Amino acid sequence: MKKRIFGNWKMNGSLASNAALLDALAQGVQAGACDVAVCAPAPYLAQLQAVLAGSAIGIGAQDLSAHTEGAYTGEVSGAMLREFGVRYVLVGHSERRQYHAESDELVARKAQAALACGITPVVCVGETLAQREAGETEAVVRRQLAAVVQVNGHCLSEIVLAYEPVWAIGTGKTATPAQAQAVHAVLRAQLLAATTAAGRIPVLYGGSMNASNASELLSQMDIDGGLVGGASLKAADFLRIVACAQ
Ligand code: 13P
């Protein structure tokens, strides 16, 4: 399967800093062996649409509403994202689950809302350190994925899945390739049980991925790409990770 390297800028950037980063990325990423996208804060999507037009880099958002339109102050719908050329949207990132109390069910409905608009949801799952230490990793990620399977059964093969252990996010503590592979194998088995098209679903790893550890992580059998936070904010670092996926 073609590898995918997606950047998640989180709540970082400015028009000026984005312009420099996007120029460098647009020049450094060629269409080919690996699919590359950046997930930017909503106010910058118009900038991405303008700068990345004709480039090999896909546009991603970081969240969307589960609703289609109406009295939902502050929310952004999938149809709105589509108008800015958005092809991917993160759903269920651990920072949304943790700071915005997003439940498994809401995440599943957000994935459904994205699919209904022709946007690929990048469904994030992952355990906290306490859950890992309590031996609950497998149960937690299986439960998070099960909610998405239940709501999106017939379109499941259109999603991208990302395993992001919460304890590895922004901490510099990467899961070892073996730790990550073990969870990816669990998720792959769950997908295979849910759909005959499971082979089409990429499962990305995220959590302190950088230019030094990317190659080994990406060489694991069930790791189909990376979801990169901090290292996606520096063009040179992100491009080195992209190079590891080619
Ligand atoms: P870091 O790469 O900064 O650990 O962030 C990972 C992440 O949360 C990507 O969505």
Side-chain angles (χ1 to χ4, degrees):
M1 183 188 304
K2 206 174 186 182
K3 294 265 193 272
R4 285 164 175 76
I5 301 294
F6 291 178
N8 173 11
W9 290 359
K10 309 194 178 185
M11 198 173 73
N12 294 292
S14 65
L15 287 173
S17 67
N18 300 346
L21 177 54
L22 291 168
D23 275 347
L25 295 183
Q27 281 178 35
V29 175
Q30 266 74 50
C34 159
D35 277 342
V36 177
V38 287
C39 300
Y44 297 132
L45 292 172
Q47 183 185 23
L48 268 69
Q49 189 178 31
V51 176
L52 296 180
S55 82
I57 302 172
I59 301 174
Q62 297 176 9
D63 184 34
L64 85 168
S65 176
H67 303 283
T68 51
E69 65 180 346
Y72 302 103
T73 301
E75 296 221 60
V76 175
S77 72
M80 293 171 186
L81 296 179
R82 279 292 300 186
E83 292 201 286
F84 293 93
V86 167
R87 286 173 49 196
Y88 305 98
V89 62
L90 305 180
V91 300
H93 191 280
S94 66
E95 289 147 19
R96 301 287 321 167
R97 293 179 190 265
Q98 186 179 350
Y99 305 135
H100 301 274
E102 292 197 5
S103 66
D104 296 339
E105 290 66 32
L106 179 60
V107 171
R109 284 193 289 112
K110 287 188 171 194
Q112 186 179 38
L115 289 166
C117 295
I119 298 174
T120 301
V122 180
V123 176
C124 303
V125 301
E127 82 289 1
T128 64
L129 184 59
Q131 288 165 331
R132 174 162 282 264
E133 287 176 344
E136 294 168 4
T137 299
E138 191 170 322
V140 168
V141 298
R142 285 180 62 86
R143 187 199 73 221
Q144 291 171 336
L145 178 55
V148 174
V149 170
Q150 196 185 354
V151 173
N152 297 281
H154 58 293
C155 321
L156 193 65
S157 61
E158 304 303 317
I159 74 165
V160 171
L161 185 60
Y163 169 55
E164 297 209 307
V166 179
W167 48 272
I169 294 177
T171 58
K173 272 196 221 165
T174 321
T176 65
Q179 279 175 322
Q181 166 57 30
V183 179
H184 280 239
V186 167
L187 294 170
R188 181 82 71 201
Q190 190 174 357
L191 291 171
L192 280 165
T195 170
T196 50
R200 286 179 46 193
I201 304 176
V203 187
L204 316 184
Y205 168 80
S208 297
M209 185 179 268
N210 58 41
S212 315
N213 60 32
S215 279
E216 209 185 344
L217 285 160
L218 293 170
S219 67
Q220 301 300 304
M221 186 167 65
D222 291 305
I223 299 186
D224 304 315
L227 182 52
V228 183
S232 73
L233 295 169
K234 294 194 187 124
D237 290 359
F238 191 62
L239 290 173
R240 274 202 291 272
I241 296 173
V242 170
C244 292
Q246 284 172 337

